[in-house]
Amino acid sequence: SRPQVRMVVCVDIDVEKLKKAHHNAAIYGVEKKLLLVHGNAFEVLSLYHGGKLVESNGTSNDDTTSLPTTIDIVFLSPPWGGMTYEKVGKHGYDLKCIKIDAGNGTTRDGEFLLQRVGVASGHKAVGYFL
């Protein structure tokens, strides 16, 4: 028997993607299990350490006030660059090729994101959609 999913936190800077996630969840009757956070994933990850919520205040996003106190698993689907990855070539593409807006005018790569998730989750299970 598999444990039931209690909550899925969806974080995106694009509100339209969050609306689509809600719509798709509603089709399957699981929309009440979603917490949609319109914001930057790096900001949300920075609130966690070792799989536990360590800070719920000090963020400018009201959506983060009801975050779960623990993380069981993290699934990442960062912007991977679309078809421009072909410029790098089949064997030259790696996590550093992924460029992510980290807020405040800074950009981070996919390797940094994976490291940040490790710290936030306590190195629990991570799925990385590439």
Side-chain angles (χ1 to χ4, degrees):
S1 70
R2 290 188 241 171
Q4 291 292 335
V5 173
R6 291 175 288 156
M7 178 188 299
V8 175
V9 179
C10 305
V11 182
D12 206 301
I13 58 173
D14 184 346
V15 73
E16 292 304 314
K17 288 180 184 165
L18 293 171
K19 287 178 183 177
K20 289 176 184 176
H22 182 268
H23 170 78
N24 290 344
I27 290 172
Y28 295 100
V30 295
E31 72 276 13
K32 291 182 179 177
K33 293 186 176 195
L34 292 184
L35 172 60
L36 303 173
V37 179
H38 181 225
N40 190 298
F42 287 109
E43 181 180 310
V44 173
L45 288 170
S46 72
L47 302 175
Y48 288 89
H49 187 83
K52 295 185 173 131
L53 184 65
V54 293
E55 182 181 336
S56 60
N57 298 326
T59 174
S60 60
N61 193 330
D62 291 336
D63 295 339
T64 60
T65 58
S66 55
L67 287 170
T69 57
T70 61
I71 296 173
D72 295 321
I73 188 169
V74 177
F75 179 80
L76 304 167
S77 183
W80 54 275
M83 296 309 292
T84 59
Y85 77 93
E86 289 179 345
K87 292 179 184 174
V88 179
K90 283 184 183 180
H91 305 290
Y93 190 81
D94 62 21
L95 293 179
K96 289 188 179 205
C97 294
I98 298 170
K99 301 301 178 198
I100 306 160
D101 176 9
N104 299 326
T106 61
T107 302
R108 300 291 187 174
D109 63 32
E111 188 174 294
F112 179 87
L113 175 62
L114 186 58
Q115 291 169 352
R116 184 63 210 124
V117 167
V119 170
S121 71
H123 301 283
K124 291 184 182 177
V126 176
Y128 210 137
F129 180 73
L130 299 173

